[in-house]
Amino acid sequence: MTKSIVILGSQWGDEGKGKLVDLLTDKAQVAVRFQGGHNAGHTLVINGEKTVLHLIPSGILHSHVTCLIGQGVVISPSHLWAEIEKLIQKGIDFKNRLKISGAATLVLPYHVALDQAREKAKGSKAVGTTGRGIGPAYEDKIGRRALRLCDVLDAARFEEKAKELLHFHNFVLQNYFSAEPVSLASVLEEGRIAREHLAELIDDVPARLKQYRQENKTMIFEGAQGTLLDIDQGSYPYVTSSNTTAGGVASGCGYGPRYLDAVLGITKAYCTRVGAGPFPTELHDEVGKNIATRGNEFGSTTGRPRRCGWFDAVALRRAVMINSLSGLVVTKLDVLDSLEEIKIATGYEYQGQQLSELPVDTDILAEAKPVYETWPGWQCTTEGIRNWSDLPKAAQNYLNRMAELCEVPIYMVSTGAERKDTIILRDVFEE
Ligand code: GDP
Ligand code: IMO
Ligand code: MG
């Protein structure tokens, strides 16, 4: 029986990971975030009530689920505390079931200032980041100078290190970007919030995971962002600054790869991307607008409109390979309900050559033209369907073709934002 399941995005993020983690944690005891920060926005809809989570794992609404945040995550103390307070206001009591690694890197005000100054300076070449300081925080970590959650415990030591880092970052902000410096008070305030509210949640995450494994608990590892935004595997430099792919689980929470039983890749029935960077199947026409409107494609974190396009089997095959996907979960099928015909990119063409693999050179990817096959639409509602046999034949054919092109089975199909709007084809827990 499968016990440790990874749920991750196999496109450019916002595939519906939050919904799926919430659904699957009905049968699990533990949910773990292993990378990313509050650049993520994971939406859960239960009986019409919407909850958007940024740092807290999407299992939190189940009172039997313990949520862990691993050391691969970057944490903004004020954002995490605000998220906790919001849930407490909603009546969700979880102090004893939220545990955070003391080794997690902190996102501090100078990271936000640097992120925004850098994007502004890049002008038309900007990455289109969420502006939340994620990249600069990971840079500090890799540069071996970051402040971590455990550093807030000793206020004097925190202040000493913060002063040094502030001096370093303010130098760049003022002299290179001609931007305003960040105040020491704003950094110390983050330390205070972390000390007063988050310090008591600090735990040894790898040791806790070992204990849970020995207790035979079922665990869901929740990815943020998506495969094509991975710092090593994505469309660099238009990526985030962490490993969003399956390999990130082991390093990001201290749980060895041999312990993982299944990896499910969440994919929309089409594609979206928010922020800049190549997107071969992007639509600039009425069909794209129709998908954006029906899919309500606006970022859960920044509210920015998401770019929309056809399903890209070349990119998905890459995600299957990189993540060793056991299978797919296809979401937002209902968004395609009104379309007369639906296209799938099966390859690319670049300077007269056929490409069957996603090129790693971002300039080539930006120039690559998709080669499409066209499938008839179903033009009737699939919203809320919970059985495969109730799907129109054309929708079944489309889904079967997705699976065939990606060479992995489909485990689930999502037909609405609600937890219950889901077709379950294979039970990942029973394999
Ligand atoms: P995440 O970042 O991967 O968790 O995804 P987001 O929450 O950012 O974006 C997914 C959006 O689609 C959210 O608004 C969900 O409520 C919604 N959603 C998820 N699954 C479905 C579905 O099958 N159909 C429709 N119409 N909406 C869905
Ligand atoms: P979830 O977990 C979609 C994108 C940004 C930008 C790039 C770098 O909700 O799927 P960053 O702020 O991380 O330095 O921005 O990554 N991005 C996301 N896109 N969903 C997300 O998270 C994202 N998190 C970051 O738009 O292109
Ligand atoms: Mg999202």
Side-chain angles (χ1 to χ4, degrees):
M1 191 172 151
T2 304
K3 288 289 183 188
S4 294
I5 301 160
V6 183
I7 303 288
L8 50 76
S10 32
Q11 299 169 313
W12 280 288
D14 303 325
E15 298 89 347
K17 299 173 292 293
K19 169 182 165 164
L20 265 297
V21 170
D22 169 64
L23 179 74
L24 290 174
T25 42
D26 199 25
K27 288 189 181 167
Q29 290 83 48
V30 183
V32 191
R33 275 281 301 270
F34 54 90
Q35 48 69 235
H38 64 306
N39 48 349
H42 296 181
T43 314
L44 286 51
V45 184
I46 295 118
N47 299 326
E49 195 181 344
K50 185 168 149 178
T51 307
V52 182
L53 298 168
H54 301 279
L55 276 161
I56 298 176
S58 299
I60 199 75
L61 300 190
H62 296 281
S63 57
H64 66 276
V65 173
T66 299
C67 290
L68 305 185
I69 299 179
Q71 72 277 9
V73 176
V74 289
I75 296 175
S76 156
S78 52
H79 271 87
L80 178 54
W81 178 235
E83 204 172 318
I84 291 174
E85 279 195 307
K86 230 182 192 172
L87 288 181
I88 292 172
Q89 276 163 18
K90 276 192 174 195
I92 299 152
D93 178 21
F94 55 87
K95 269 253 161 117
N96 295 327
R97 50 188 189 88
L98 177 64
K99 299 173 193 297
I100 313 170
S101 168
T105 292
L106 297 181
V107 181
L108 294 167
Y110 41 77
H111 295 132
V112 179
L114 280 166
D115 193 359
Q116 294 176 359
R118 202 176 285 162
E119 284 284 278
K120 196 170 153 207
K122 278 189 178 149
S124 64
K125 291 207 168 66
V127 173
T129 71
T130 57
R132 298 201 151 191
I134 305 300
Y138 276 113
E139 283 172 41
D140 267 3
K141 169 177 157 169
I142 301 301
R144 297 173 293 193
R145 55 177 177 257
L147 280 160
R148 308 193 298 169
L149 185 55
C150 59
D151 291 323
V152 305
L153 297 174
D154 180 334
R157 202 180 58 162
F158 181 81
E159 181 166 347
E160 190 188 322
K161 286 190 183 177
K163 271 186 185 154
E164 204 181 309
L165 270 164
L166 192 62
H167 184 64
F168 173 66
H169 289 312
N170 272 343
F171 182 85
V172 177
L173 277 170
Q174 289 178 282
N175 297 299
Y176 187 78
F177 292 115
S178 304
E180 288 297 311
V182 166
S183 71
L184 179 63
S186 67
V187 179
L188 296 184
E189 173 59 6
E190 291 287 326
R192 182 195 66 77
I193 293 171
R195 193 172 317 109
E196 281 182 17
H197 303 295
L198 306 178
E200 60 180 318
L201 308 178
I202 290 180
D203 199 15
D204 182 344
V205 168
R208 189 64 64 194
L209 290 172
K210 177 184 172 188
Q211 175 205 329
Y212 291 158
R213 193 177 125 76
Q214 284 168 343
E215 291 169 357
N216 228 12
K217 292 200 159 130
T218 298
M219 304 192 247
I220 307 286
F221 295 84
E222 175 180 2
Q225 291 79 54
T227 299
L228 301 166
L229 289 171
D230 183 282
I231 184 73
D232 290 304
Q233 305 294 343
S235 45
Y236 192 90
Y238 300 99
V239 290
T240 191
S241 296
S242 66
N243 283 115
T244 60
T245 42
V249 177
S251 56
C253 60
Y255 194 67
R258 280 204 303 122
Y259 297 150
L260 300 174
D261 298 299
V263 185
L264 293 184
I266 318 296
T267 174
K268 285 178 184 169
Y270 48 97
C271 274
T272 64
R273 174 165 204 170
V274 57
F279 181 179
T281 63
E282 183 170 11
L283 289 163
H284 299 282
D285 58 6
E286 285 305 311
V287 179
K289 277 190 206 149
N290 174 308
I291 293 174
T293 307
R294 287 188 61 101
N296 193 23
E297 295 295 356
F298 295 94
S300 316
T301 296
T302 57
R304 289 179 293 174
R306 295 176 184 144
R307 301 152 67 191
C308 297
W310 296 120
F311 181 76
D312 186 338
V314 187
L316 244 290
R317 277 199 299 268
R318 191 92 191 161
V320 170
M321 175 169 80
I322 291 167
N323 296 300
S324 64
L325 291 188
S326 315
L328 303 177
V329 176
V330 181
T331 60
K332 305 191 92 162
L333 183 74
D334 54 298
V335 173
L336 303 182
D337 282 352
S338 69
L339 299 182
E340 234 169 89
E341 51 182 37
I342 301 170
K343 293 186 181 179
I344 303 180
T346 55
Y348 299 145
E349 211 178 84
Y350 175 71
Q351 295 186 342
Q353 272 184 310
Q354 301 289 316
L355 306 179
S356 57
E357 278 296 335
L358 197 80
V360 294
D361 184 327
T362 302
D363 291 341
I364 296 180
L365 184 61
E367 292 288 309
K369 296 277 168 282
V371 176
Y372 287 120
E373 58 181 38
T374 303
W375 287 75
W378 42 93
Q379 295 190 283
C380 60
T381 182
T382 61
E383 209 183 318
I385 287 182
R386 289 189 228 168
N387 295 302
W388 176 262
S389 55
D390 293 337
L391 284 177
K393 190 81 190 122
Q396 292 180 353
N397 290 343
Y398 177 66
L399 290 164
N400 284 336
R401 183 62 177 149
M402 281 172 78
E404 186 180 47
L405 285 167
C406 298
E407 297 173 2
V408 283
I410 294 176
Y411 277 66
M412 282 175 262
V413 180
S414 171
T415 55
E418 285 274 350
R419 193 190 265 172
K420 59 179 171 35
D421 297 339
T422 314
I423 301 168
I424 299 179
L425 297 168
R426 289 168 76 127
D427 185 346
V428 69
F429 297 109
E430 293 302 331
E431 298 192 335

